[in-house]
Structure formats: structure tokens, C-alpha cells
Amino acid sequence: MIEVVVQSTDAGKKVHRFIRQLLPGVPLSGVYKMLRTGRVKRNGKRVKTEDVLQTGDTVQLYMAETDFKASTRAPKKYGGVSREIDVIYEDSDMLVVNKPAGLLVHGDAGEQKDTLVNRVQAFLYDRDVRDRDAAEDRPTVFSVAPVHRLDRNTSGIVVFSKNAATASKLSDQIASHEVQKWYLAVVRGTIPPSGTIDAALRREVGNRTVVAREFDERSHSALSRYTRKAAVGRTSVALVELVSGRTHQIRAHFQSIGHPLWGDVKYGGRTSALAPQDASEGEQEHQWLHAALMVLPDGRRLFAPLPKQFRDTLQQLGYSAEQLRMVETL
């Protein structure tokens, strides 16, 4: 018999879902058969499929240790998935990574495998397997998940929650603007030393965000504050505080004041003249936007250094080493 103590991360789950996630090597029909035949009990009593588990419950599985170990592993689930992630902070509740430009956070219909979510889950899965082999504790069932997202070609901070309580708490804090977020953006032209862009936005056909001429039910208020960190020739680097968090907010806001992001084809910033020499064709034209700093309500500062490709582009645009230091000092 195998005994698994339900942790707080899995409290509130229905028993069939808990078993399904605990034993990914067992098909759903097998899980239902285990429940139907009494091979799963909670605190020594038989359970029903829809019963809800609570923290501290002991789930008994009537199966051999060797079968249990085999059933908890699903190596094919992450076969071929890259484990390459840049971890900038981790504790028992969250994992924070520096996302590279060009990588989706979530998969779309044509890109289900190489996404940031899959990389993080594969990375933690491998580590969990190693730790489990040397420990007596059973694995948690909660699947790590991002609490916010970035555009494919925006680099920088993405926070993943490790349990349901943290996911709910951080999502609420982000929605209520208790989490402060700053981005570094390369924009066309010389912007003022500082400014505020207070302009409502709305989504249009084609996944494009525009400044709303009139406020209506499709419009959402949006506020961005910026400081010019440096300027050279035809460009400036802005440190932008995203007070609200609308889709494509920074890109649409800077286009609206005549300073679209450098390389942002979708929002009027077309250029390919100064892309890094080793960049692929697909990387040569996209917005230069980096989620650099996040401050949590408890005061913790999460900082993501500029990617090499971003720094290379600034150097090619003419920014000096001293200006680069100014840009990265937040």
C-alpha cells in the first residue's frame, strides 16, 4: 500500500483529478477503475470520484511500490522539449524566469511544444524526478503555471506560481495593480525627459490595439509613465512603468505619441537596418521591449538583465558603454 499526504497545493481538488495527475502513467479509465474497485481510499475510507480532498488528508493507494514509481513518471510527456531557461529567482512559491524574445509563453495551434510553459514544466519535472529518487516525500500534483504573460517578441520577467494559493494571490495583486512593472523600450526619435501617456485602448480585428477616439464599452483605460534613460541619433531608450496592463499597451501608446518602438512593424516602427548580424530573418524585425523590473507588494525586486541581442542592438545604434550602464541601472 502507498500513502500520500495531501499538501495545501492540492487542497480542493476532486479525488479523480488528484489521482490522474499523481499517476500520469495510468490512463483515465484506469483511474476510474481504481476508484470503482476500492483501490483508492481517503483516511482509510472508500471515496467517490467527485469527493474533494483537503490539506492533511491521507490517500491510500492499493498498489505495489514498483507499480507506483512507474506510474508517477511520464517521460514521453516532455520528450524533445528544451530545458533551457534563465532562472532569476526561485522560492517555495514561485519561479521567475528571464524569457528570451521569440519564444511564446503559451503554445498556439501550430506551436505546442517549444513554449516557455513547457520548458519550465520540463525543467522542474526533471528536477523533481531527481529529488524524488532520493527522498521519501511524494510529489505534489499542482502544475506550475505563469501568472501573467509577455508577447512572443518581448523579453524579460515571467513569474510562474508553484501552487494554487500563490497563483490566485499573485493574479489578484496584478489585477489590482499592486505589482509594479517597468519595461525598457527602444523607441524612434528623441522623447522628452519624462512623460505620462493616459489614453484609453481598445482591440481591433487582427489582434491590434489602438488608442480609442471615443470611450465606449470596447475601450479600457490605460496609463503609462516613462523616463528617458538615454538617446542617440534617431532613437531613445525609455524606462516605462506599466501602471495598467492592457495588451500591447506600450506599443500602442508610444505609437500614439509619434515614437513607435524600434523595429515594431505592427505599430509603425519598421526597420531592419541595424539588427544584430547573427540574428535570423525572423528576429530582425520586432519590437525592442524588455520586462526589466517587477516589484512585489512585499517589496521584493525581481530584475531581468538585458539579453545579449538587445545589448548588441543598442551598441549598433551607437549607445556607448556608459550609456548602456545607465540603461541597465534601475
Side-chain angles (χ1 to χ4, degrees):
M1 182 182 69
I2 305 298
E3 291 192 332
V4 181
V5 178
V6 177
Q7 304 301 311
S8 60
T9 53
D10 299 314
K13 277 188 169 61
K14 292 181 179 179
V15 67
H16 75 279
R17 182 167 296 134
F18 178 85
I19 300 302
R20 183 73 178 99
Q21 293 176 309
L22 181 67
L23 305 177
V26 177
L28 185 58
S29 59
V31 171
Y32 285 133
K33 183 176 181 180
M34 289 176 66
L35 292 166
R36 188 174 62 252
T37 57
R39 292 175 59 200
V40 178
K41 292 185 178 181
R42 177 181 61 175
N43 303 324
K45 298 180 180 178
R46 291 188 64 159
V47 293
K48 298 179 181 180
T49 301
E50 298 298 311
D51 283 355
V52 175
L53 299 173
Q54 303 298 327
T55 303
D57 282 347
T58 299
V59 176
Q60 289 92 17
L61 305 173
Y62 291 85
M63 59 192 310
E65 178 75 24
T66 53
D67 292 338
F68 175 78
K69 286 185 176 181
S71 298
T72 59
R73 289 161 171 74
K76 292 183 180 180
K77 181 178 181 180
Y78 297 111
V81 176
S82 171
R83 271 66 169 167
E84 185 178 350
I85 59 173
D86 180 10
V87 178
I88 55 179
Y89 177 80
E90 184 177 10
D91 61 22
S92 59
D93 294 319
M94 68 177 71
L95 177 77
V96 185
V97 301
N98 189 357
K99 184 186 88 69
L103 183 67
L104 286 167
V105 174
H106 296 278
D108 59 19
E111 277 183 78
Q112 294 294 335
K113 183 168 289 187
D114 192 21
T115 65
L116 186 63
V117 169
N118 281 354
R119 287 189 184 190
V120 168
Q121 291 181 346
F123 172 85
L124 291 177
Y125 176 83
D126 287 354
R127 193 174 67 183
D128 182 58
V129 168
R130 290 195 302 269
D131 291 347
R132 259 190 281 157
D133 288 342
E136 295 182 358
D137 294 337
R138 300 303 178 193
T140 182
V141 171
F142 180 84
S143 183
V144 64
V147 296
H148 63 113
R149 62 186 301 168
L150 296 177
D151 291 341
R152 176 203 290 267
N153 287 317
T154 298
S155 57
I157 295 171
V158 178
V159 179
F160 285 79
S161 60
K162 291 184 174 182
N163 52 66
T166 299
S168 177
K169 180 180 178 180
L170 284 174
S171 296
D172 289 345
Q173 290 173 336
I174 289 173
S176 61
H177 311 304
E178 296 176 66
V179 175
Q180 297 173 288
K181 295 181 284 185
W182 283 268
Y183 291 68
L184 287 169
V186 184
V187 303
R188 293 184 64 180
T190 302
I191 58 174
S194 62
T196 298
I197 307 173
D198 187 354
L201 300 173
R202 70 178 184 183
R203 302 299 298 280
E204 288 196 336
V205 176
N207 194 34
R208 193 169 183 274
T209 299
V210 299
V211 170
R213 294 182 179 181
E214 296 181 359
F215 196 89
D216 55 27
E217 67 277 0
R218 294 174 54 204
S219 308
H220 301 279
S221 60
L223 180 66
S224 304
R225 300 190 184 102
Y226 68 85
T227 301
R228 188 181 70 209
K229 297 287 287 182
V232 169
R234 295 176 291 162
T235 67
S236 303
V237 179
L239 177 64
V240 187
E241 181 184 4
L242 200 63
V243 181
S244 50
R246 309 302 178 191
T247 301
H248 296 180
Q249 177 175 318
I250 294 175
R251 300 167 68 184
H253 266 178
F254 275 86
Q255 181 190 36
S256 74
I257 64 171
H259 296 284
L261 271 61
W262 187 259
D264 192 353
V265 177
K266 192 170 188 174
Y267 289 89
R270 179 180 294 276
T271 180
S272 59
L274 290 171
Q277 297 300 312
D278 60 350
S280 68
E281 183 179 349
E283 294 173 323
Q284 289 183 359
E285 293 196 60
H286 66 73
Q287 73 274 10
W288 293 99
L289 184 61
H290 178 69
L293 177 65
M294 181 179 289
V295 179
L296 302 180
D298 61 11
R300 279 180 291 176
R301 290 168 57 91
L302 306 173
F303 174 72
L306 278 179
K308 180 180 182 300
Q309 190 180 347
F310 202 120
R311 288 178 58 87
D312 289 346
T313 295
L314 290 179
Q315 289 176 326
Q316 291 193 26
L317 286 168
Y319 288 84
S320 66
E322 178 59 29
Q323 286 175 312
L324 286 174
R325 283 193 291 272
M326 291 172 58
V327 166
E328 294 188 281
T329 302
L330 303 181

